[in-house]
Amino acid sequence: MNAPLRRVGVVVMVLFGLLFANLNWVQAYKADEYRNSDYNGRVQVAEYERKRGIIEAGGTPLATSRETGGELKFLRSYPKGEMYAHVLGYKPVNLADTGIEKSENEFLAGTSDQLFADRVRDIFTGNQTAGGNILLTLSPRAQEVAFKQLAENRKNVTKGAAVAIDPATGAIQALVSMPSFDPNPLVDHDSKKAEAAYNQLDNNKDGPLKNRALSEILPPGSTFKVITSAAALENGYTQNTQIPAGSSYLAPTAGVPIRNAVPSICPEAQVTLKEALTESCNTGFARLGVTLGAEKLKAEARKFGFEDEDLTVGRLNDGGQAVAASRTGSMQTPDGRDDPPTLAQSSIGQNDVRMTPLQGAMVAAAVANNGRQMRPYLVQQQLGPDRTTDYYTAVPKELREPVSPQVARDLQDMMVSVVQNGTGESAQIGGYRVGGKTGTAETGGVNGDQGWFIGFAINSAGVPVSAVCVLLEDAGSGGSAEAARISKEIMRAVIADRGGR
Amino acid sequence: MPRVRVAAKPRRNAELALLVLAMAVVAAYAATVEANLLDTVTLDFWVPIAAVGAVFLALHLVVRFLAPYADPVLVPAVALVNGLGVAFLRRLDLANAVPEERADFAIFSGTGGRQLAWTLASVILAAGLLVLMRDHRAISRYAYTLGLAGIVLVIIPAVLPAKYSQVNPQSDAKLWISVGGFTIQPGEFAKLALLVFFAYYLVRKREVLSLASRRFLGVDFPRGRDLGPVVVVWLISLGVLVFQKDLGTSLLYFGMFVVTLYIATERVSWLIIGLLLFFGGAFLAYFLGSTIGGPFANFYTRVEIWQDPYGDAYGAGWQPLQGLLGLGTGGLFGTGPGGGQPTQIPEVHNDFIFAGMGEEIGLFGLSALLVIYLLIISRGLRAALAVRDSFGKLLAGGLSFTLCLQLFVIIGGISSLIPLTGQTTPFLSAGGSSLMANWLLVATLLRISDAARRPVESGTGPRPSGAPAGPPAQLHGATTEVIRP
């Protein structure tokens, strides 16, 4: 019986050979496919093995992680709920991540190359490496005021945005989009619950998931007159140059005349440039635009940051959330000549001109900072897991110089006049030089017009403290005055947070 | 055919040294698991290792005195696999426990603790079998009793209501006897009982089976009355498939029978008939599963999943797919003991333990594990080649091949070489029945290898081991080689 036994031995060898060959196939040849399969939950679980870092601003923790005892070891939580939602974003289990949670994911998760040394050290000390921490530029007080004032605005507007920037550095002091959402249910470890919460927000017609401050562009209305003014000042005009105005202006070839908001505004045939801005004289700026021409107007807007498709807000050296490009639109006929009717409309921020609230704040900031526009940023510092090692500290960067210091000072004077004598009176702050520009853009929407305000505050030492843009969508009449009032509250909060400096 | 040369040395000290080495590997594994899972090595890690180590040492002593010539590799090799199984199951418990409770997780709680207790009981039982069975030929006296018991054990779960025979609600296999929270898998023991019966029956019938046959289509067919038991066992194994929905077990019994038949008769025709019948049965089951469903639907689904692992990824394919993904994630070197996430695979402590370990010890670790298994099987086959009586040859050969077939079915199943059928992985999977039955298998192999390696006695004096003198009553005239015409 030994011969068949030996053959059985051969069969055993063959069967084991097959097993061995197949294991090689699965664990060596196909390993990468299996390791990175969408069905493989191991990668995801591994991500939750390590404690994700904290996101904080001004000493206030905004995103934290706590141990659960479950398979996914750490649950992300956002103690401030809706207030910071659009800045922080969220880091869900199965959905896509957004905001700072997305742009700083590697550092927060502790997988960043920068933290390599920490991970190596922790292998030897046996500590579980935690993720790094992110410190934001936000002023908690300003953010809180911006959120509350927007949410409880006196016009009962449901959609809008507010952005505040430090004009001297570009550090973002507040960034709110309304309506907001609570990110906590979206990061629930029960992915069915998280998905349901997401779908509910996604189906909401007011679009709470949209970041209106960065990614929505809307007609800026009269706030655009600041740019038209800048174009004039750069082309030989002064604050006191008399420009033609009047109660009505019918541009060549236009069918419908441009009128002022109310008949009492600049009915005179001529007003100074400063008066035109102070009173928001539509006919004056429409004529001015047609006189200057489309090229000059568009070039000026570009100098302030319009048409910039590459701007991101996050760290200054890399990454961050993308910002939608603001547009001037076409003001020319197809054969390249100026089209007076659209040019006239565009000069007062109508027609195809579109702007993000961030862009509005950047325009005001550049004016306040004597013509130097700083690149906006949100991440002040990257701190290591131990909170002592500094991996990155923001060094403010100049983005561009839209106007000369002289032109900037003229614009400052004109905008201060708007707040002191004109349409932006509700933005006044005692002891500060506050300048601004209101805007009401006719969109033909159900509830009427967009209410805008862009403005800045300069302290008694001449240092710009804050530049703000507030937008109230479909606000109807008086929307821009309410936006000016909210801007004032935000700037006051910034001033209080800086200890009056 | 030249005789197999075996050393006439007891080699017990070699066994002891290998056993110490095996325990050292297991201890290192358990310590690494704790270091990875708890970030510290508690003083508890060695307690389970010491417990299994002590009982393995006791078994070694029993072998040293009652089976001094037994193969010295068998006990250490099985001890290594069994020890790793206990350590891995404890690792699963630690992963499932709340973090705060991990450091002081009781030794005998959870699946790992139960496996530890079962290991102690099984090894003691195996030692007991060595004490009782001084000569393997003695069990041939109970061959018919064991055969009947085997068939009864196979059938019991099929006829019991699901309440008493279906433990795992996810799979609808009826394999258990479950009374009052206590479950056994009778099939594991039936395997051994049936094999003893096969070996005995075939040794008695081998001459008629190999000689008295009719030639048909170039193949020698045995006479109908000799073919009877074959068909009966084939039907039983198909019955197992149909009523217990367990293809693996039916394949195992059937393969076991065909191979012992082949070894006994040395006729390849038996292999051909066996393979034809098996594939015919399997194809029929697949065909019936795709057309009428019913009890065959399960088998059909498994073939479908085998062909396309992603096909029903969130349904029936979830477990096999997660097993594959675990193996793939482990890659060549694995994530290290305690470093992976074997709990991603449902029921990883059972059928999929090999995939769970594969994620952590990688291709190299699994290859080493396969080599250990191969070592156990080859030592069993060596005993079969060297032992002088036909019953011992058939029994040792059949047991070794059964072990091989079981490993092939389950490991081939989880690594998607063949369609998945539920089987335990010998000595690794959680489960008392499987562990106990396989340790009894090892005890039997130890006994046969002792007889095989014992020096041939010249005189007729009393045997040193105290085995009954003289030829066994039932196997008179059973010679080693058959003179064929």
Side-chain angles (χ1 to χ4, degrees):
Chain A
M1 289 203 284
N2 281 0
L5 272 173
R6 284 177 197 282
R7 276 184 217 118
V8 167
V10 172
V11 171
V12 169
M13 292 303 289
V14 168
L15 291 182
F16 268 73
L18 285 173
L19 286 180
F20 180 69
N22 191 52
L23 278 179
N24 271 280
W25 170 258
V26 170
Q27 292 202 281
Y29 184 80
K30 300 261 278 181
D32 279 339
E33 179 195 321
Y34 288 141
R35 199 174 291 134
N36 301 318
S37 163
D38 289 342
Y39 299 104
N40 197 341
R42 286 168 188 80
V43 186
Q44 194 177 65
V45 172
E47 200 174 44
Y48 286 82
E49 288 285 300
R50 186 182 278 146
K51 184 166 184 165
R52 192 173 172 85
I54 289 172
I55 306 177
E56 58 179 66
T60 310
L62 306 176
T64 57
S65 287
R66 62 183 165 79
E67 201 154 357
T68 59
E71 189 178 34
L72 303 180
K73 282 191 191 152
F74 292 98
L75 177 68
R76 197 66 167 159
S77 89
Y78 303 95
K80 297 284 180 180
E82 295 189 335
M83 199 175 285
Y84 290 85
H86 289 98
V87 178
L88 303 175
Y90 45 89
K91 172 74 186 167
V93 179
N94 269 341
L95 307 164
D97 44 356
T98 64
I100 289 291
E101 290 276 39
K102 178 182 183 170
S103 62
E104 296 297 326
N105 180 43
E106 286 199 340
F107 194 80
L108 288 164
T111 53
S112 161
D113 291 342
Q114 291 168 282
L115 296 173
F116 180 72
D118 289 73
R119 288 197 298 274
V120 170
R121 193 184 58 228
D122 290 337
I123 287 172
F124 291 106
T125 58
N127 290 331
Q128 178 70 45
T129 318
N133 304 301
I134 299 289
L135 271 57
L136 298 182
T137 56
L138 294 178
S139 147
R141 198 191 299 234
Q143 179 78 7
E144 197 165 320
V145 166
F147 178 78
K148 289 209 168 125
Q149 291 293 338
L150 266 190
E152 295 158 16
N153 69 80
R154 295 173 187 173
K155 304 290 296 177
N156 292 324
V157 176
T158 55
K159 294 177 285 182
V163 180
I165 302 178
D166 183 339
T169 61
I172 293 178
Q173 297 160 329
L175 195 153
V176 175
S177 174
M178 172 180 76
S180 190
F181 61 94
D182 184 0
N184 287 303
L186 298 176
V187 297
D188 199 299
H189 284 182
D190 182 340
S191 49
K192 284 212 177 72
K193 276 189 195 165
E195 222 164 293
Y198 177 84
N199 287 336
Q200 203 188 350
L201 290 170
D202 198 35
N203 293 332
N204 186 327
K205 63 177 170 41
D206 280 348
L209 293 171
K210 277 185 199 166
N211 189 342
R212 294 184 150 80
L214 300 183
S215 53
E216 293 287 292
I217 52 174
L218 287 167
S222 301
T223 59
F224 193 74
K225 288 172 186 166
V226 174
I227 287 170
T228 313
S229 301
L233 290 170
E234 292 226 303
N235 286 283
Y237 289 69
T238 69
Q239 295 183 46
N240 300 314
T241 305
Q242 296 279 332
I243 59 167
S247 56
S248 155
Y249 167 56
L250 185 66
T253 75
V256 184
I258 288 174
R259 294 177 193 284
N260 294 311
V262 286
S264 62
I265 295 173
C266 61
E268 311 90 312
Q270 294 226 315
V271 292
T272 64
L273 187 57
K274 188 174 184 178
E275 281 166 2
L277 192 73
T278 306
E279 293 181 39
S280 202
C281 174
N282 285 347
T283 52
F285 277 99
R287 287 174 189 271
L288 179 59
V290 174
T291 311
L292 288 169
E295 282 307 328
K296 285 180 181 154
L297 207 55
K298 287 175 126 176
E300 194 62 38
R302 246 195 317 273
K303 278 157 78 181
F304 274 96
F306 276 67
E307 319 293 340
D308 180 357
E309 318 214 358
D310 302 322
L311 186 66
T312 55
V313 172
R315 247 177 302 139
L316 282 170
N317 52 354
D318 185 33
Q321 306 180 53
V323 179
S326 301
R327 304 285 185 192
T328 50
S330 172
M331 307 172 195
Q332 286 156 319
T333 54
D335 56 4
R337 285 178 303 165
D338 285 3
D339 183 40
T342 57
L343 182 49
Q345 291 281 346
S346 301
S347 305
I348 58 171
Q350 302 273 24
N351 193 39
D352 287 336
V353 184
R354 297 286 183 276
M355 182 174 84
T356 61
L358 177 74
Q359 179 61 48
M362 285 166 69
V363 170
V367 171
N369 197 36
N370 294 329
R372 292 169 64 220
Q373 190 176 56
M374 305 303 286
R375 191 174 154 189
Y377 63 97
L378 263 170
V379 177
Q380 182 62 41
Q381 242 187 324
Q382 288 181 322
L383 279 185
D386 55 1
R387 297 192 65 85
T388 55
T389 322
D390 180 8
Y391 286 91
Y392 163 86
T393 298
V395 180
K397 238 186 196 172
E398 191 179 297
L399 190 59
R400 34 178 106 82
E401 286 193 39
V403 289
S404 67
Q406 182 54 51
V407 169
R409 269 190 288 276
D410 286 342
L411 284 170
Q412 283 172 20
D413 288 345
M414 290 163 66
M415 288 171 77
V416 167
S417 170
V418 170
V419 172
Q420 278 175 356
N421 318 312
T423 53
E425 283 178 330
S426 45
Q428 291 171 8
I429 302 172
Y432 284 80
R433 240 181 121 216
V434 179
K437 182 71 197 84
T438 53
T440 304
E442 293 165 22
T443 53
V446 188
N447 297 322
D449 312 327
Q450 325 290 14
W452 289 85
F453 182 80
I454 66 171
F456 56 81
I458 299 174
N459 69 12
S460 50
V463 178
V465 173
S466 184
V468 183
C469 175
V470 171
L471 158 71
L472 295 170
E473 279 184 41
D474 304 332
S477 69
S480 59
E482 174 66 359
R485 187 193 66 77
I486 294 172
S487 300
K488 172 189 69 180
E489 297 295 341
I490 296 171
M491 290 193 286
R492 279 174 53 182
V494 171
I495 289 164
D497 219 19
R498 290 167 64 126
R501 278 177 289 119
Chain B
M1 187 66 53
R3 285 202 63 82
V4 179
R5 291 202 313 157
V6 285
K9 287 184 195 157
R11 309 289 314 247
R12 296 277 59 88
N13 291 334
E15 180 180 84
L16 183 61
L18 285 173
L19 192 57
V20 170
L21 181 71
M23 285 301 101
V25 171
V26 175
Y29 181 88
T32 318
V33 162
E34 290 213 342
N36 262 327
L37 278 179
L38 311 178
D39 291 336
T40 171
V41 181
T42 68
L43 285 176
D44 283 349
F45 91 91
W46 58 267
V47 177
I49 315 305
V52 291
V55 79
F56 290 150
L57 192 69
L59 178 66
H60 163 76
L61 291 175
V62 170
V63 172
R64 186 175 277 267
F65 290 107
L66 295 183
Y69 288 92
D71 194 304
V73 175
L74 276 172
V75 172
V78 175
L80 176 60
V81 179
N82 195 162
L84 287 177
V86 171
F88 182 74
L89 290 170
R90 182 172 165 78
R91 176 249 176 280
L92 292 181
D93 292 335
L94 290 180
N96 289 328
V98 189
E100 298 82 60
E101 292 170 11
R102 278 179 193 164
D104 39 25
F105 198 79
I107 302 295
F108 280 100
S109 58
T111 320
R114 270 201 302 282
Q115 185 80 346
L116 175 59
W118 276 112
T119 303
L120 303 183
S122 303
V123 177
I124 290 167
L125 205 70
L129 186 64
L130 281 177
V131 174
L132 279 178
M133 177 180 66
R134 298 300 176 86
D135 187 330
H136 61 271
R137 288 170 292 188
I139 44 173
S140 64
R141 267 183 256 142
Y142 310 106
Y144 281 110
T145 320
L146 286 171
L148 185 66
I151 289 176
V152 170
L153 284 174
V154 170
I155 291 172
I156 285 175
V159 296
L160 276 179
K163 189 182 163 197
Y164 297 108
S165 63
Q166 205 167 310
V167 174
N168 182 0
Q170 265 106 56
S171 96
D172 43 12
K174 292 176 70 179
L175 302 173
W176 289 269
I177 299 175
S178 167
V179 183
F182 187 81
T183 60
I184 66 163
Q185 224 172 323
E188 295 282 351
F189 296 98
K191 196 172 66 184
L192 299 183
L194 284 176
L195 201 63
V196 172
F197 168 69
F198 287 169
Y200 173 77
Y201 179 84
L202 293 171
V203 166
R204 290 212 26 200
K205 291 273 185 177
R206 58 188 303 221
E207 274 145 70
V208 275
L209 280 170
S210 45
L211 298 178
S213 61
R214 293 187 201 113
R215 214 168 165 78
F216 179 68
L217 292 173
V219 178
D220 290 322
F221 283 94
R223 295 178 305 186
R225 61 179 166 206
D226 304 320
L227 199 63
V230 193
V231 176
V232 167
V233 172
W234 183 62
L235 287 177
I236 289 174
S237 62
L238 265 188
V240 170
L241 164 64
V242 174
F243 292 108
Q244 300 182 0
K245 302 179 179 175
D246 187 12
L247 180 74
T249 307
S250 73
L251 170 60
L252 202 60
Y253 292 164
F254 189 71
M256 197 165 85
F257 182 70
V258 168
V259 162
T260 42
L261 196 57
Y262 165 66
I263 297 171
T265 60
E266 305 192 18
R267 301 198 77 119
V268 181
S269 56
W270 282 110
L271 285 183
I272 296 167
I273 296 167
L275 286 174
L276 283 178
L277 287 179
F278 180 78
F279 282 111
F283 180 78
L284 191 69
Y286 175 76
F287 177 73
L288 289 175
S290 70
T291 50
I292 62 165
F296 303 100
N298 184 37
F299 177 53
Y300 176 74
T301 317
R302 293 194 166 186
V303 174
E304 294 291 296
I305 291 165
W306 172 60
Q307 286 175 339
D308 177 16
Y310 298 100
D312 189 14
Y314 291 110
W318 181 251
Q319 189 192 24
L321 179 60
Q322 288 304 313
L324 280 178
L325 299 183
L327 285 171
T329 305
L332 294 185
F333 301 99
T335 55
Q341 296 157 32
T343 47
Q344 293 276 315
I345 310 170
E347 293 284 307
V348 66
H349 58 279
N350 253 331
D351 298 358
F352 275 74
I353 195 162
F354 202 76
M357 289 186 80
E359 185 191 347
E360 301 198 328
I361 62 178
L363 177 62
F364 290 116
L366 286 189
S367 303
L369 208 50
L370 276 185
V371 169
I372 305 281
Y373 275 124
L374 190 57
L375 206 57
I376 297 168
I377 293 160
S378 67
R379 290 299 169 140
L381 286 175
R382 267 176 67 149
L385 284 168
V387 80
R388 286 172 284 275
D389 67 291
S390 302
F391 174 69
K393 273 183 187 302
L394 258 187
L395 189 57
L399 289 175
S400 307
F401 186 75
T402 304
L403 203 57
C404 167
L405 200 58
Q406 186 166 353
L407 281 162
F408 182 76
V409 167
I410 183 59
I411 297 177
I414 65 168
S415 61
S416 209
L417 178 64
I418 55 171
L420 176 72
T421 54
Q423 277 294 319
T424 55
T425 312
F427 308 111
L428 270 186
S429 290
S433 307
S434 163
L435 202 57
M436 204 169 257
N438 283 313
W439 267 108
L440 292 177
L441 185 155
V442 169
T444 313
L445 284 182
L446 280 171
R447 178 51 74 211
I448 296 173
S449 74
D450 175 56
R453 293 160 54 93
R454 189 181 296 278
V456 185
E457 269 142 69
S458 46
T460 51
R463 287 160 173 261
S465 68
Q474 299 280 319
L475 287 166
H476 50 87
T479 49
T480 303
E481 298 290 331
V482 179
I483 294 108
R484 301 181 60 177

